[in-house]
Amino acid sequence: MTTMFLPSLPSGLRSRAGGFLGGAHAQEPAPASALAEDAPAPSIRIQTNALQALCRQVFGFRLAMIALGAPFALERAEGNFGVGLVGAAVVASFVGSYAMLRDWETFAPLLIKYRSLMAADLAFGSVLLLTASPDSALGYATVCTPLLAGLLYGWRGAGIFAVVQILLLGAAYVAWASRMSGPASTLLISGFCVAAGVVGVTLRNLMFRFGEATQALSEAKARLAVTDAVGEERARLAREMHDSVAKTLQGVAMAAESLAVSADRMDPMTVKHQAGMVARSARRAAAESREILSDLRRQADYEDGGVDVAEELTARVKDFTDRTGISAHLTPVGPTPVPSVPHAVARQLVTVATEAMENSHRHAHAQHVTVELGTLDGMFRVSILDDGTGLPPGLRLDDLRRAGHFGLVGMVERAAGIGARIRIGRGRSEGGTEVRLELPVSALTAPAAVLLAHPD
């Protein structure tokens, strides 16, 4: 199943939903643990994505060092209990590193949330280090622990894990001092542990600062796109007024003037016919004016906070069910209420949702359609999911354009017009399709009011 992300704006890096406890009844925050992050990360999901490449490289290096040093540890283990303990430590360390390398997206949130997992891994690594000696390949694997702690937990976590790792290196050196030429290698690795922790924290902070800058840029782009959409809507209304009402009224004026000049020279039937034409043209101008005034009244909704998209989508979903007989319903998602949306933006969102439902009926032959609406992680989201046949593999927009199928292309263009991120791909049911639109909530505030306060 193909998944397309078009046009893509980076998703918001910091969740702004909820978290406000005001007044005298606000609860005091719980005391932070010693391993708490010294600087709050934007979110677990974004944090794991931002650090994915670096952490995977670290775990790959650690996996290689464990593979090289494990034979030394097993060879130097004494007794059945010692061999079993070292064997268990080898398996746990190797499997843990391999799991993080292969399925980082699955296990990384657990490693970030439960810092005790890093401590448990450190304990297994210490068993191997004490058995194999610091001058083996396992000594260099110890550098990975403070580096990972710096990347994932910040200064406090890196400092604690670096100190503990250095103490374990010292204990291992004391245990193997009689067989080692001197403490030079142990001191060198200890220095590497300190440097690795500093490097990890520095890289972490740089990525988070870059993420915050990216978030600000994304929100600014989305806000400008919304402003442009509102401006284009106003320009469209101006064109329609010029092309319809203005021309019709000009025709009415010319016909009325002609009738006034020549009425005394025409027979009554001709005068009646000309007067009827003037009346019909005037009624047409009045109808066109009502249509434009209706649009302008919706534009004035900006001053009251915008359009209720939930109400609009509820009506579209009901109409879709009545026309097609397909079961469809609107489901709210997210912990916060759905914000009002500027009319120009709401029109595009509702149009994309309607087109997606029609595609579910015409092309996917779906039996059930779900429309989800809400705000999650600071993003305004509209998702249309069905249980139909899904999209063909390898689908591309260029192929659709060449084949003359412009439904999905139109969705992408409408999303681009308001600065939204659109995802068209596999849904949650097997074979189904999901069309998801996301727009920063911050982009939905202020632009309309600015335009109304400063008209062209």
Side-chain angles (χ1 to χ4, degrees), residues 233-249 283-301 343:
E233 183 74 358
R234 296 175 70 244
R236 179 185 69 83
L237 292 174
R239 286 194 302 269
E240 289 184 1
M241 183 170 286
H242 175 270
D243 296 339
S244 58
V245 178
K247 289 184 177 180
T248 303
L249 289 176
R283 282 194 295 270
R284 185 166 64 251
E288 291 169 347
S289 298
R290 282 194 297 270
E291 291 179 2
I292 294 177
L293 286 173
S294 177
D295 277 346
L296 287 173
R297 187 168 288 110
R298 286 195 295 267
Q299 293 283 349
D301 288 341
H343 173 69

Side-chain angles (χ1 to χ4, degrees), residues 45-120:
R45 181 168 63 90
I46 297 301
Q47 186 178 2
T48 54
N49 289 339
L51 302 177
Q52 175 179 347
L54 279 175
C55 290
R56 274 185 162 165
Q57 293 294 328
V58 175
F59 276 108
F61 173 79
R62 186 172 183 271
L63 193 64
M65 294 298 101
I66 292 174
L68 292 174
F72 292 95
L74 290 171
E75 180 183 355
R76 296 175 180 179
E78 298 179 358
N80 293 333
F81 177 77
V83 172
L85 180 62
V86 172
V90 169
V91 172
S93 300
F94 191 89
V95 171
S97 297
Y98 178 74
M100 297 300 296
L101 179 65
R102 185 178 184 275
D103 296 314
W104 171 261
E105 296 86 351
T106 301
F107 297 108
L110 297 176
L111 185 62
I112 294 172
K113 186 176 182 180
Y114 302 105
R115 293 160 179 79
S116 56
L117 293 176
M118 180 74 78

